[in-house]
Amino acid sequence: MRIDVVSIFPEYFEPLRLSLLGRAIADGTLQLSVHDLRDWTTDRHRTVDDTPLGGGAGMVMKPDVWGRALEDVLGGHESTAAGARPGRRVLAIPTPAGTPLTQRLVEDLAAADHLVIACGRYEGIDARVAEHFARHIEVVEYSIGDYVLNGGEAAALVLVEAVGRLQEGVLGNPESLAEESHGAAGLLEYPVYTRPVSWQGLTVPDVLLSGHHARIARWRRDRALERTAHRRPDMFTRLRGDQLTWEDREVLARLGWARTPAGPRRLVLREGRAEEAAALSRLAAETFPMACPERMPAEDIEAFIRANLSPGRFSDYLGDGDRYLILVADLAGDLAGYTLSVLPRTVDEPPYAEDVAAVVPIRPVAELSKIYVRASAHGSGVSQALLDATLDALARRTVLGVPLAGVWLGTNARNRRARAFYERAGFTLVGGRRFQVGGRVEDDAVFLRALVAPPS
Ligand code: SAM
């Protein structure tokens, strides 16, 4: 690749002779020339600027001087041999009013054969320069950030370095490009460490010393997701569904982001509010049938909804905080899921059904009675995050001063996906129970999970 830089301060580019780029320039992998704009002036004072037409502060760089310089530089170095297809030429003009320079734009520019960078000073270059050259070649006005520098030289250095390191043969180990921030994964890179293992009281995470490649890869991926969600949530919103595994989605949901078919949404897990009884009832009526066995008659389902999931019933649940805990998954203002837990009123109150009480020996014990997530949020990690948040909230609850020791739940014995979901969250199968819905008797598997109160 050939790069020409035009500036009134050619000395500014001396540092490019150092390090990896310096070597690439020395061995011809990268052909770099720096030109002094004043070489194209015609007056005794070598003038490159004039006052702004229309008035205002500062000076503007003259189009005629820039025009001559760029014609020469662009035309003077044919990018390809005579007769061959003309190479791709790009004129890059740094300006704080330009398109943000991203790794995507850098990758695109790195594929050009000939890049010319025109460094402005003062108030910038007369706008007709970009307009004129755009009639003949590609012109990219780019910005390196939302701040203003005195001149384009630093922005040109940035572009040369970013584009230069992507040229074949410039980096010693091209694999270092694979997992970088802003790469194909669309994430920031995970934190990196080296020896000594312990320094200033700070120790390198154990997993990195384990030699267990799969665990190290997962740990790095989790940190990359975490960093991106905290520092650059804007990047996360651009991630495509196929860039995230199921595990990634669960991690992100815990970080407060959920991917939905309509795009990424902010996820807040919080207690339900009294004024949400009607919305919760609608959500419950929508989600309850999804979990019912196929052969269950519609009348039975409707009767159950009327009896247990009406707005009135939800008002009761929300109004009795000692007995019920409702947590909701609030996806950008919409309720996407909820859990309903039933808490004991006394320390030794047993689960209400005898067959459950027989297999759930610990007290005080709560029941996770419902966990439902709207179909449109399935696969987004919301269910996992909602369950985690519910378990956390229950672990903090006390009954007459005694922390809850466990939580049980019943789930359809034939629903293998649900069973796997609870097992992954630390529940173990402890028995079964018979359960009446309308006129039918259903078999439920009973799961139990111990709770550990967080240190106060
Ligand atoms: N009047 C211009 C404006 O407000 O957009 C700012 C001109 S600036 C003082 C002078 C030169 O610095 C620009 O022509 C450009 O070459 C360079 N420059 C300043 N900030 C830059 C940025 N964030 N990205 C790229 N180039 C920048």
Side-chain angles (χ1 to χ4, degrees):
M1 177 183 214
R2 159 153 210 103
I3 302 181
D4 285 277
V5 182
V6 185
S7 156
I8 57 170
F9 295 120
E11 309 78 18
Y12 214 108
F13 296 90
E14 281 309 305
L16 284 176
R17 313 265 162 208
L18 305 172
S19 185
L20 292 176
L21 281 193
R23 207 177 56 198
I25 292 164
D27 69 18
T29 309
L30 199 63
Q31 293 164 265
L32 177 81
S33 305
V34 182
H35 312 268
D36 186 346
L37 177 69
R38 293 192 197 277
D39 290 349
W40 283 274
T41 54
T42 47
D43 65 320
R44 201 157 54 90
H45 302 290
R46 296 174 35 103
T47 310
V48 293
D49 57 338
D50 203 341
T51 52
L53 293 178
M59 299 295 276
V60 176
M61 296 191 105
K62 290 164 67 59
D64 47 343
V65 181
W66 268 111
R68 284 193 293 278
L70 295 175
E71 290 295 350
D72 273 1
V73 170
L74 281 160
H77 304 281
E78 278 312 324
S79 322
T80 48
R85 186 180 59 84
R88 180 176 161 211
R89 295 184 298 173
V90 180
L91 171 60
I93 306 180
T95 158
T99 304
L101 185 67
T102 60
Q103 189 65 17
R104 297 293 86 71
L105 181 52
V106 166
E107 283 161 3
D108 177 53
L109 294 176
D113 298 280
H114 186 189
L115 184 63
V116 175
I117 311 177
C119 303
R121 280 265 150 186
Y122 321 121
E123 290 311 315
I125 303 173
D126 184 303
R128 288 169 294 177
V129 173
E131 200 180 325
H132 165 70
F133 282 95
R135 295 195 285 219
H136 311 290
I137 57 162
E138 250 179 89
V139 175
V140 176
E141 295 187 78
Y142 72 94
S143 162
I144 60 162
D146 294 344
Y147 42 79
V148 178
L149 306 166
N150 284 334
E153 286 74 14
L157 282 174
V158 166
L159 183 58
V160 173
E161 176 133 352
V163 158
R165 68 196 290 278
L166 295 185
Q167 301 304 310
E168 213 179 306
V170 171
L171 287 195
N173 179 3
E175 269 181 35
S176 40
L177 296 173
E179 287 193 328
E180 281 185 332
S181 300
H182 311 292
L187 300 172
L188 299 178
E189 197 185 46
Y190 48 80
V192 294
Y193 302 89
T194 184
R195 276 169 288 277
V197 170
S198 179
W199 175 78
Q200 300 283 357
L202 301 169
T203 312
V204 170
D206 284 343
V207 62
L208 299 180
L209 310 173
S210 69
H212 193 298
H213 298 302
R215 260 193 278 148
I216 293 174
R218 187 64 245 168
W219 182 90
R220 288 181 162 163
R221 181 80 181 168
D222 289 352
R223 300 292 84 71
L225 290 163
E226 224 168 72
R227 267 190 166 178
T228 311
H230 289 144
R231 299 181 180 177
R232 293 292 306 276
D234 58 308
M235 282 173 64
F236 173 57
T237 62
R238 287 192 291 273
L239 281 182
R240 296 185 316 272
D242 64 340
Q243 287 173 298
L244 294 170
T245 64
W246 294 115
E247 277 160 310
D248 293 343
R249 287 166 199 224
E250 288 180 10
V251 174
L252 281 169
R254 289 191 194 110
L255 292 166
W257 281 97
R259 262 211 71 96
T260 71
R265 293 276 187 279
R266 241 5 229 156
L267 174 68
V268 178
L269 301 162
R270 57 167 174 81
E271 288 198 21
R273 300 178 184 135
E275 66 274 17
E276 289 175 323
L280 275 163
S281 164
R282 278 197 300 278
L283 174 64
E286 175 190 320
T287 51
F288 178 72
M290 297 189 303
C292 293
E294 268 174 39
R295 57 201 160 73
M296 189 182 275
E299 314 85 79
D300 286 358
I301 297 179
E302 280 158 25
F304 185 90
I305 292 175
R306 268 197 308 279
N308 299 290
L309 305 173
S310 64
R313 291 294 282 152
F314 271 100
S315 280
D316 295 344
Y317 301 143
L318 291 163
D320 188 354
D322 288 340
R323 186 53 147 181
Y324 301 104
L325 171 71
I326 291 192
L327 244 62
V328 299
D330 176 335
L331 256 189
D334 282 335
L335 296 190
Y338 75 102
T339 58
L340 171 65
S341 306
V342 185
L343 309 165
R345 292 211 190 269
T346 60
V347 173
D348 51 9
E349 183 182 308
Y352 61 85
E354 266 174 38
D355 43 2
V356 176
V359 291
V360 171
I362 54 178
R363 306 281 183 276
V365 70
E367 179 195 2
L368 176 59
S369 168
K370 293 179 179 45
I371 169 162
Y372 285 111
V373 170
R374 193 164 261 165
S376 59
H378 284 181
S380 62
V382 169
S383 310
Q384 190 70 47
L386 187 57
L387 179 58
D388 280 359
T390 303
L391 295 173
D392 267 11
L394 290 173
R396 286 167 209 282
R397 290 296 285 254
T398 54
V399 179
L400 305 173
V402 181
L404 277 175
V407 52
W408 71 272
L409 62 88
T411 186
N412 190 303
R414 278 182 303 277
N415 189 341
R416 269 193 273 146
R417 268 187 55 198
R419 295 174 60 150
F421 173 70
Y422 294 124
E423 275 163 7
R424 274 202 296 146
F427 281 88
T428 20
L429 181 68
V430 289
R433 68 163 174 171
R434 308 229 105 171
F435 177 68
Q436 179 108 13
V437 183
R440 308 189 62 89
V441 175
E442 296 290 335
D443 273 320
D444 259 10
V446 174
F447 282 86
L448 179 64
R449 184 188 189 279
L451 294 171
V452 181
S456 45

